Structure formats: C-alpha cells, structure tokens
Amino acid sequence: GAGVSQSPSNKVTEKGKDVELRCDPISGHTALYWYRQSLGQGLEFLIYFQGNSAPDKSGLPSDRFSAERTGGSVSTLTIQRTQQEDSAVYLCASSSQRGAETQYFGPGTRLLVL
Amino acid sequence: QQQVKQSPQSLIVQKGGISIINCAYENTAFDYFPWYQQFPGKGPALLIAIRPDVSEKKEGRFTISFNKSAKQFSLHIMDSQPGDSATYFCAARRGGADGLTFGKGTHLIIQP
C-alpha cells in the first residue's frame, strides 16, 4: 500500500512569505505527527494530531507556525512570514493509532527561505 | 536542553566489522527507545526498538543494548555491509506522550 506522501518535495520562498506544506498519511492511520529536521540536527517534534484534534502542540516554535487536519486525513502545516531560520526539512509521520509504536515517515518537504 | 545525546556524530567501519552507536538520555519518564535509519532523500524508517524492561533486543544483525541504571542505550550492527551506510537516529518517548525526542544522528559509512 501507499506510504506517507508529502508535497511539495521542495519549496523555495522569500523571507516574509507564507508557505503551506501538505501531508497525506497512510490510509486509516488516525495519528499524525509533524517534525522538523534542520541541517546537522536531529528531528524536532512540532505537533501531533489524533483525528482532527491536536492534543499536543508543544513543539511549535512560534505563533507563525500552525497546522490543521481535516477529515481525519490530510494535514497542512502553515508557516507565516517565513524567516531564514525556518529553512529545514519538514517531515510528516503517521501511526495506526495513538500510542502505536511505529511512526511511518514521509520523504519530507525541503524548505529554503531566501 | 538536549534530552537525548547521541555519539559519535560520524562513523566509518570496514565491511564485516561491528558498528556501535551510543545514546544517553536524561528523562527517566522515557519508556520507549526506537532507532531509526535514514537514507539520503528519504524519511527515517523504524529499524528496531526496545522498552526498559529488557536489557537487550536482537533482530537479525541489529542489536539494542539497554542500561537503565546508566540511562544509556546503544545500537550494534554486526557484519556491517555497505548497504548499511546511512544516518541513524536514536529516539525516546515519554509514557503518555506522542512525539518522539530524537538524538542528532550518526552518519555511518561502511567501507567495502
């Protein structure tokens, strides 16, 4: 079956612009996660969704970052007024249910803010 | 505060040798410790994981050793192969939490 897909695969934007990153989780997976991977750093947890609700937003770095999930499936991560330090790979993962051990990652969206 | 510290940052091993990557954690509330493997241009993939009620878990050539008292765990890759060349991340999760806390990764190169 299809894995987690993300789009776009690459995004170049100018400082101050808004960007939207999309994640399609594995069909039937109720749990969805967003992580950020900066150069030379590990993955940094951003936000978790269970269904359409986000019980854990603790990792969002600032109020410029927001995310939503509609229909318990597709999720969008929005970064407003992008800054150069937002340049990173944004990874989405899904798991079959809350607390499931395996998180399946997508290939990521590489964001470059000029 | 970095909650999971991983070393080394990079590692070169000869084909057939043993690759060892170490991680240390601070938060005693962590109760799940996975290792992820990431190839260039791909997302990380779960390799092997352990819970603190056991000291070792083996799956094929991959073994996790876990030392609860020292708050350390390590990944051993036996008979390392060029196809094992990748970046490896250790991670940890608190009971009741959902997001994983990752180490900074180890870039492993297996020389033929």
Side-chain angles (χ1 to χ4, degrees), chain A residues 35 37 41 98 101 103 106, chain B residues 32 38 43 51 98 100:
Chain A
Y35 293 85
Q37 184 174 21
Q41 302 294 314
R98 187 172 196 176
E101 292 191 346
Q103 295 185 15
Chain B
Y32 172 66
Q38 185 177 30
R51 289 195 175 270
D98 299 286
L100 292 167

Side-chain angles (χ1 to χ4, degrees), chain B residues 35-81:
Chain B
W35 284 88
Y36 277 80
Q37 179 188 56
Q38 185 177 30
F39 293 105
K42 306 291 186 181
L46 179 66
L47 187 62
I48 187 173
I50 198 168
R51 289 195 175 270
D53 53 344
V54 296
S55 60
E56 185 176 284
K57 183 174 181 180
K58 183 176 181 179
E59 291 184 359
R61 296 185 294 109
F62 302 91
T63 300
I64 300 178
S65 297
F66 188 85
N67 186 328
K68 188 174 181 178
S69 60
K71 294 187 286 185
Q72 295 175 348
F73 59 110
S74 60
L75 175 69
H76 295 233
I77 306 174
M78 311 300 287
D79 187 27
S80 299
Q81 299 297 312

Side-chain angles (χ1 to χ4, degrees), chain A residues 5 19 32 39 53 59 63 72-73 77 80 87 101 103-104 109:
Chain A
S5 61
V19 296
L32 185 147
L39 189 64
S53 65
D63 58 8
S73 183
L77 177 68
Q80 295 180 309
S87 296
E101 292 191 346
Q103 295 185 15
Y104 297 88
T109 293

Side-chain angles (χ1 to χ4, degrees), chain A residues 33 35 37 40-45 48 50 55-56 58 89 91 97-108 110, chain B residues 9 32 34 36 38 40-46 49 51 57 87 89 93-94 96-105:
Chain A
Y33 314 80
Y35 293 85
Q37 184 174 21
Q41 302 294 314
L43 284 74
E44 172 191 13
F45 169 73
Y48 157 72
Q50 178 59 37
D56 189 354
S58 62
V89 177
L91 290 157
Q97 60 187 16
R98 187 172 196 176
E101 292 191 346
T102 305
Q103 295 185 15
Y104 297 88
F105 282 82
R110 285 153 186 77
Chain B
Q9 197 171 18
Y32 172 66
Y36 277 80
Q38 185 177 30
K42 306 291 186 181
L46 179 66
R51 289 195 175 270
K57 183 174 181 180
T87 300
F89 293 95
R93 187 178 67 191
R94 284 184 297 115
D98 299 286
L100 292 167
T101 300
F102 282 85
K104 291 191 175 184

Side-chain angles (χ1 to χ4, degrees), chain A residues 20-31:
Chain A
E20 287 189 350
L21 313 179
R22 176 187 168 106
C23 172
D24 279 276
I26 293 172
S27 178
H29 279 193
T30 60

